[in-house]
Amino acid sequence: MSDPDYAIEAIGLTKTYRAVGKLPEMHALKEIDLKIGRGSIFGLLGPNGAGKSTFINILAGLVTKTSGTAKIWGLDIDQHPRSSRAAIGVVNQEIAMDPFFTPIQALELQAGYYGVPRSERRSIEILAAVGLEDKKDAYVRQLSGGMKRRLMVAKALVHTPPVLILDEPTAGVDVELRRSLWAYVRELHDRGTTIILTTHYLEEAEELCDEIAIISHGEVLTQEPTPQLLSRLDRRLLKITPHESLSAVPAALRGLDAEVTEDGTLVIAFRNSETGIGRLLDQVREAGIRVADLSTEQPNLEDVFIAMTTEAA
Ligand code: ADP
Ligand code: MG
């Protein structure tokens, strides 16, 4: 199969969960359009309840869409339910595993499910890659939460899918595992796998993803390359460590959005498009402050996210 332009292409994708008992019907996805480029590390970012898992689960075939279309690796999920799903490996948000299988058995079963011939199976290699080689014969119930998560990643890879989808992979995972998991995900990406992850950890998307879509209440608020998304928030912080420590903002700088932190750092917020940093520094020097050190900070996704969701509200 020739490589498609997009790893995932959703048009007008809609999901309404039916009312159950006292629960009203839920518009989890409202005509979502999303095109996810081949070869990217793509972040689907949004708060809890935004519709991220619903989107992933429709792709995975676990949730039936209400309307709209979706293509995986160029294959329509309605017309090609099996071959489209063969192009993705999905790591679900919830840890779900049969406690009575060992990791090696779990991988072999999964490979069988996908019809991977025995000669092409790479179970040991995959277990080694996720750091579970020495646990290959342990019972799954003896594995820690982090190990189970890694086993889920391993299971998603048995059929060597061109697209790996991770739904909140680091929720409830310790810092060390998070690091090793991301290192492995980056390695897969370097070898050509398209990565899609959902997260509500803003720093995570910022650090890992080259492109980000923000989703909230079942709608896509924006989809942009990460740097562009960050630059949309014009606000910058200039942090100055003065030679002689300050206890308050000097009178000459009171016209600025400035404050002195507990450790004596002078922090000035400014709009990049309005105030050049050179002019700002001139003002600081004119106020009699000798600069020992300085740094600037860009807004993080948290700021962007808050700005966008308040705009939309
Ligand atoms: P996210 O993964 O972004 O946290 P979800 O896709 O899990 O969001 O959920 C989106 C919305 O749909 C939420 O309001 C959630 O309560 C609702 N929802 C999710 N699954 C179901 C379901 N099986 N039945 C009814 N409502 C659901
Ligand atoms: Mg979710």
Side-chain angles (χ1 to χ4, degrees):
M1 182 173 37
S2 67
D3 288 343
D5 288 340
Y6 297 108
I8 305 290
E9 200 177 350
I11 299 169
L13 200 61
T14 298
K15 176 63 188 182
T16 306
Y17 291 105
R18 268 196 299 253
V20 182
K22 281 186 185 157
L23 291 173
E25 65 173 13
M26 183 67 219
H27 299 277
L29 293 178
K30 302 168 190 165
E31 299 193 28
I32 288 228
D33 294 332
L34 259 186
K35 288 182 174 141
I36 301 178
R38 185 162 51 89
S40 63
I41 301 193
F42 188 91
L44 191 58
L45 175 67
N48 281 326
K52 304 182 296 296
S53 293
T54 299
F55 180 72
I56 301 305
N57 290 339
I58 289 171
L59 296 179
L62 300 171
V63 165
T64 323
K65 64 184 164 62
T66 304
S67 60
T69 61
K71 284 183 188 170
I72 302 171
W73 214 246
L75 297 165
D76 186 284
I77 59 170
D78 291 329
Q79 287 161 28
H80 309 279
R82 274 192 78 86
S83 53
S84 64
R85 263 107 201 187
I88 49 172
V90 180
V91 183
N92 286 116
Q93 186 171 352
E94 273 85 40
I95 293 180
M97 259 174 210
D98 194 319
F100 300 106
F101 290 115
T102 66
I104 191 79
Q105 288 169 336
L107 257 57
E108 287 293 310
L109 268 177
Q110 186 81 356
Y113 171 78
Y114 276 106
V116 182
R118 272 180 204 286
S119 61
E120 287 172 27
R121 293 188 190 173
R122 305 175 297 129
S123 299
I124 292 289
E125 182 195 318
I126 295 170
L127 283 178
V130 299
L132 284 177
E133 202 178 8
D134 59 339
K135 296 283 178 198
K136 71 183 172 60
D137 297 318
Y139 282 109
V140 165
R141 60 182 142 82
Q142 296 165 338
L143 303 180
S144 69
M147 289 173 182
K148 284 183 189 143
R149 182 72 67 183
R150 277 183 277 168
L151 181 53
M152 288 176 67
V153 175
K155 280 176 71 178
L157 294 170
V158 293
H159 56 301
T160 327
V163 185
L164 178 64
I165 303 181
L166 303 132
D167 194 3
E168 308 249 3
T170 54
V173 154
D174 63 60
V175 177
E176 207 157 307
L177 172 64
R178 194 172 295 188
R179 246 181 238 128
S180 69
L181 191 61
W182 289 143
Y184 184 53
V185 164
R186 282 207 181 92
E187 202 181 303
L188 284 171
H189 178 251
D190 290 344
R191 282 192 263 141
T193 307
T194 301
I195 310 285
I196 299 166
L197 63 101
T198 78
T199 183
H200 60 268
Y201 292 117
L202 310 166
E203 320 76 54
E204 195 160 85
E206 187 175 346
E207 191 192 318
L208 276 167
C209 302
D210 45 36
E211 191 170 10
I212 292 172
I214 296 183
I215 168 172
S216 179
H217 298 290
E219 288 175 292
V220 177
L221 300 181
T222 185
Q223 176 183 352
E224 285 170 81
T226 307
Q228 188 183 317
L229 184 68
L230 294 177
S231 71
R232 277 161 55 96
L233 250 203
D234 196 22
R235 214 171 112 94
R236 296 277 187 285
L237 294 178
L238 173 62
K239 294 186 167 183
I240 292 173
T241 311
H243 259 294
E244 297 84 21
S245 64
L246 292 172
S247 52
V249 178
L253 298 179
R254 295 246 165 91
L256 298 172
D257 183 359
E259 63 172 34
V260 174
T261 62
E262 251 168 51
D263 64 359
T265 309
L266 176 66
V267 181
I268 305 170
F270 66 103
R271 292 203 164 273
N272 211 30
S273 57
E274 290 167 6
T275 321
I277 228 175
R279 236 183 69 202
L280 217 49
L281 277 173
D282 288 344
Q283 278 179 270
V284 168
R285 287 200 199 91
E286 279 158 24
I289 295 169
R290 291 200 301 143
V291 177
D293 197 8
L294 66 84
S295 65
T296 61
E297 256 176 39
Q298 300 226 339
N300 61 22
L301 272 175
E302 185 115 37
D303 304 320
V304 178
F305 185 67
I306 288 165
M308 301 200 60
T309 40
T310 39
E311 256 169 48

